[in-house]
Structures are given as structure tokens and as C-alpha cells.
Amino acid sequence: MSRDILVLERLCKSFGPVEVTRDVSLAIRDGERHALIGPNGAGKSTLFHLISGNYKPTSGRIVLDGHDIGGLDPARVNRRGLARSFQITNIFPGLSVAENLRLAVMRRHGLQFTVWRRVSHLRRVNAEVEELLCKIRLEARAHLVAGDLPYSDQRSLEIGMTLASDPKVILLDEPMAGMSHEETEYTTGLIREVTAGRTLMIVEHDMDVVFTLADRITVLVYGAVIATGTPAEIRESARVKEAYLGEEAR
Ligand code: ADP
Ligand code: MG
């Protein structure tokens, strides 16, 4: 049994009087692919914002790889080994694919790399960009303007940008939203590939994707966890059927 890499303890988030995250406790195991599902408005994106440091918790703890990261800003959380994509595409549409990746790689290396004095730095950045292009299968499109790419290639690029910081944990919020069946299958395969050896938390509405990709699934309803388990356990859970999956099936 592998250790836990990300632990949420009684996490709560309120906006004014509205409790959006209610007492969420969850342990994500090192190396697993964990899907977060639940109806619209359940608080899935909010939970990701809390973990990534975009929102500060009202109460509770977030422990990443043994370090308490609750309340740290996103850049610090990223340096601790966690990267995320957003529900909305987060690339620079006017820049090329390679330029987008270059920016992400430079962000990881920090300020020193923005001053181009050392040829060795430049070489290292170029090598990392090439490696990322290969991982996301966009070598042949490196010099195309990102905004002109088909939608699924833009999502691949965004996944590449989350990989630039070489994160231990990756959060993807609805990466397949708006995709055709073929694009969804393609991107599912890509996600499986690039997250090998890492830990994935993914929000996804397509239940075929969720049940084939995830090692474990957590169901969130009205901001609270109602179940965590293997795909088989979740499929069989009467509570989940009643609160969510049954409703989807109808
Ligand atoms: P999901 O991603 O599961 O669809 P969200 O996390 O986006 O759900 O939203 C959960 C609830 O929290 C929604 O009712 C939403 O209106 C509310 N919410 C999210 N962010 C904020 C915010 N910044 N201020 C106030 N309410 C918010
Ligand atoms: Mg959402």
C-alpha cells in the first residue's frame, strides 16, 4: 500500500454565509489517478482552487508530501510539487506552442533564466521544451500559433504547461469539456501517458472516462464527500446512485 501524497483534513470554505466546501477529508495516494465527480455546483472547482492555493481555506488542513500548504499562494504550492490546469483554457493564444511551453519552463526556473547571459541556460530550456513537445505529441506543430490549433491540441498544450514544473501531483479540471468522442479518447490516452509516475486528481463529467481512467473516485455533493472508493465500489454504492449517478442515468 503506497503512502498518501495529498491529505485534506476537515477542509471548509465559505463565501460569506455560503458554505461551499464542507468538512472535506480525503487522502490521495502517491501514484494514483483519482477522479472527483459530482453535480454542477457541488464545489469541485472550489476544492481544486483550495488545494492549488488560489483560494484560502476557511478552516482545515491541506498536507502535500508531508508539508502543510494550506494558505500558501499558488506559486509556492507549485514549487512544493503541485500543478493544475483550469476549467478554462489557460494558454497565450497569440504565442506559438513552443513559446507557450518556453514561458512555462522559464517560470519554473525563475528569474535567473529570464536573463539570457548563459548559453547553458538557454540550451537547457530548449531541451526541456523539446521534451515537453514530444510528451504532448505536438512536435510537428511547435511553431504554430496556439490560438489557431484545434481545441483538443490546445488542451494538450495546456497539459504540457502543467508538466513544465515537473509536478508530483497534477490537478486537471474538466480537461475533456467540449470535446468530441474521438478527441476525448485521444486526450484520455495522453493524460494516462503523461501522468504515469505522478499523481493525478481529475474532475470529469464523462463517466466512461472516469470509470476507465481512475484508480479511485470521490463523489462530492453540496460541498461534502459522500463516498470514496474504487470504480466498482462507487458503481455499486446505493448512496452514490441515489445522490448522483442515478440522477445522471435518468
Ligand atoms: P463545481 O466545479 O462542482 O461545478 P464550483 O466549485 O465551481 O462547483 O462552485 C460551487 C459553488 O460555490 C457554486 O454554488 C458557486 O456559485 C459557489 N462559488 C464558487 N466560487 C465562488 C466565489 N468566488 N464566490 C462566491 N461563491 C462561489
Ligand atoms: Mg467546476
Side-chain angles (χ1 to χ4, degrees), residues 15 20 38-47 55 87 173-174 203 220:
F15 296 101
V20 171
N40 276 325
K44 304 179 296 296
S45 293
T46 300
L47 196 61
Y55 289 167
Q87 199 169 351
D173 195 350
E174 299 195 30
V203 172
L220 203 66

Side-chain angles (χ1 to χ4, degrees), residues 147-168:
D148 293 343
L149 292 177
Y151 184 66
S152 67
D153 285 349
Q154 293 190 23
R155 300 312 301 225
S156 300
L157 173 56
E158 201 185 348
I159 290 167
M161 291 174 73
T162 66
L163 293 174
S165 61
D166 195 21
K168 286 179 267 205

Side-chain angles (χ1 to χ4, degrees), residues 64-89:
L64 173 65
D65 206 13
H67 298 275
D68 195 335
I69 58 160
L72 292 187
D73 63 52
R76 285 217 165 77
V77 173
N78 184 241
R79 257 175 266 138
R80 285 261 177 234
L82 184 139
R84 68 168 295 183
S85 76
F86 287 83
Q87 199 169 351
I88 325 154
T89 300

Side-chain angles (χ1 to χ4, degrees), residues 66-138:
H67 298 275
D68 195 335
I69 58 160
L72 292 187
D73 63 52
R76 285 217 165 77
V77 173
N78 184 241
R79 257 175 266 138
R80 285 261 177 234
L82 184 139
R84 68 168 295 183
S85 76
F86 287 83
Q87 199 169 351
I88 325 154
T89 300
N90 199 27
I91 55 177
F92 298 99
L95 299 182
S96 75
V97 171
E99 284 164 343
N100 267 284
L101 291 172
R102 172 178 296 279
L103 283 177
V105 168
M106 278 165 45
R107 203 177 302 140
R108 158 167 172 225
H109 289 296
L111 268 182
Q112 72 206 34
F113 274 65
T114 60
V115 185
W116 299 108
R117 292 215 187 91
R118 301 267 304 268
V119 174
S120 61
H121 287 175
L122 187 59
R123 281 210 196 99
R124 202 163 125 206
V125 170
N126 286 343
E128 285 182 29
V129 169
E130 287 302 316
E131 199 180 313
L132 287 170
L133 281 168
C134 176
K135 279 193 180 138
I136 58 172
R137 309 173 189 161
L138 288 180

